[in-house]
């Protein structure tokens, strides 16, 4: 990614992050659930919106599209809405599946599409590795310390999706769509109380949150150390899952299924 590109969070609702990708005065928005906060941001920074990237169909990710589209029409700005092919996204101009590429030519950025079924069935992520700063926009699939709920997909689908993300370069910055880190880490510490990397990370997160600062972006490296949903192959996580459901855990999928169920009732 060219060094002139900046990525900033626009806060929405109680804990959503709408990601603003900015190059000079050009802007792309990831998952704009609320148009008003985006328009305020556009006007404050005198930007020109040209692209909307959608990860999945939930209203807190798509709710702002229609109003932003009218806003761009009034400004006479051409706007392209990108989104998953397999979900019903309002005004979706470019329908994407795995291995498609999104070229935001005016911003010198190109993003690869990754299919991530689990939270929803058509959920996709956008990944760019244009320079030495790989970045991932993964919606509600991978969170810091956690993962999305399984509203539509199976545990196996979600585990496969998370494994794809775990195989990205370790220095990939992870831009997920919610500030859920602190609550996720409470659960993670219950699963792995003796994981020192997790204990240390949790302290840093508590300090950041005490100052009302964002804990996102995180990185693939950090998540592989602290996130129980990326660690279902680890003996410590398997042992803890076994205590939870009183069944011997012999595979990553059994363990993943157990800890996802455990987190749902935590
Ligand atoms: Zn969602």
């Amino acid at each position: 990614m060219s060094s002139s590109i900046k990525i900033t969070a626009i806060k929405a609702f109680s804990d959503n992050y709408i990601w603003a990708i900015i190059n000079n005065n050009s802007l792309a928005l990831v998952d704009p659930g609320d148009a008003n906060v985006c328009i305020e941001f556009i006007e404050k920074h005198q930007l020109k919106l040209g692209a909307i990237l959608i990860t999945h169909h939930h209203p807190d990710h798509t709710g702002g599209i229609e109003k932003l589209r009218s806003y761009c029409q009034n400004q006479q700005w051409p706007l392209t809405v990108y989104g998953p092919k397999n979900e019903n996204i309002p005004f979706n101009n470019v329908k994407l599946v795995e291995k498609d590429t999104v070229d935001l030519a005016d911003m010198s950025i190109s993003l690869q599409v990754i299919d991530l079924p689990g939270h929803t069935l058509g959920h996709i992520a956008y990944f760019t590795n244009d320079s030495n700063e790989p970045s991932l926009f993964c919606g509600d699939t991978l969170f810091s310390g956690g993962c999305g709920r399984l509203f539509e997909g199976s545990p196996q689908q979600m585990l496969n999706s998370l494994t794809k993300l775990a195989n990205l370069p370790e220095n990939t910055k992870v831009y997920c769509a919610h500030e859920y880190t602190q609550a996720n880490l409470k659960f993670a510490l219950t699963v792995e109380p003796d994981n020192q990397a997790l204990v240390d990370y949790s302290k840093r997160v508590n300090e950041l949150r005490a100052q009302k600062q964002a804990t996102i972006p995180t990185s693939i490296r950090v998540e592989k150390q602290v996130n129980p949903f990326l660690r279902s192959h680890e003996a410590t996580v398997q042992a803890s899952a076994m205590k939870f459901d009183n069944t011997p855990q012999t595979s990553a999928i059994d363990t993943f299924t157990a800890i996802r169920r455990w987190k749902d009732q935590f």
Side-chain angles (χ1 to χ4, degrees), residues 132-262:
N132 288 326
E133 202 170 90
S135 299
L136 171 74
F137 301 92
C138 57
D140 287 355
T141 295
L142 175 64
F143 295 121
S144 187
C147 73
R149 282 177 189 266
L150 300 178
F151 287 120
E152 297 174 15
S154 66
Q156 185 68 66
Q157 284 175 314
M158 187 57 137
L159 180 59
N160 292 349
S161 294
L162 291 172
T163 303
K164 281 187 198 172
L165 300 184
N167 288 331
L168 293 174
E170 292 216 319
N171 64 337
T172 300
K173 287 189 175 171
V174 176
Y175 296 90
C176 56
H178 289 274
E179 179 63 65
Y180 287 161
T181 314
Q182 215 168 17
N184 285 340
L185 295 184
K186 270 185 203 149
F187 175 72
L189 282 166
T190 306
V191 178
E192 283 191 294
D194 300 323
N195 176 342
Q196 192 56 46
L198 172 59
V199 171
D200 294 343
Y201 180 60
S202 182
K203 272 185 204 151
R204 281 209 305 285
V205 162
N206 288 342
E207 284 163 15
L208 286 169
R209 295 309 293 155
Q211 295 162 29
K212 297 194 163 41
Q213 290 190 47
T215 65
I216 310 298
T218 177
S219 71
I220 293 295
R221 179 180 294 112
V222 166
E223 293 311 309
K224 282 162 84 169
Q225 292 171 349
V226 305
N227 191 325
F229 297 98
L230 295 187
R231 295 170 59 76
S232 51
H233 55 282
E234 297 280 345
T236 45
V237 178
Q238 297 197 343
S240 206
M242 185 166 86
K243 266 191 232 159
F244 165 70
D245 71 356
N246 275 315
T247 335
Q249 305 294 333
T250 51
S251 65
I253 182 59
D254 287 349
T255 304
F256 178 84
T257 305
I259 60 172
R260 185 59 263 182
R261 214 170 57 236
W262 185 3

Side-chain angles (χ1 to χ4, degrees), residues 56 58 61 119 140:
H56 68 293
H58 286 157
H61 298 252
H119 177 68
D140 287 355

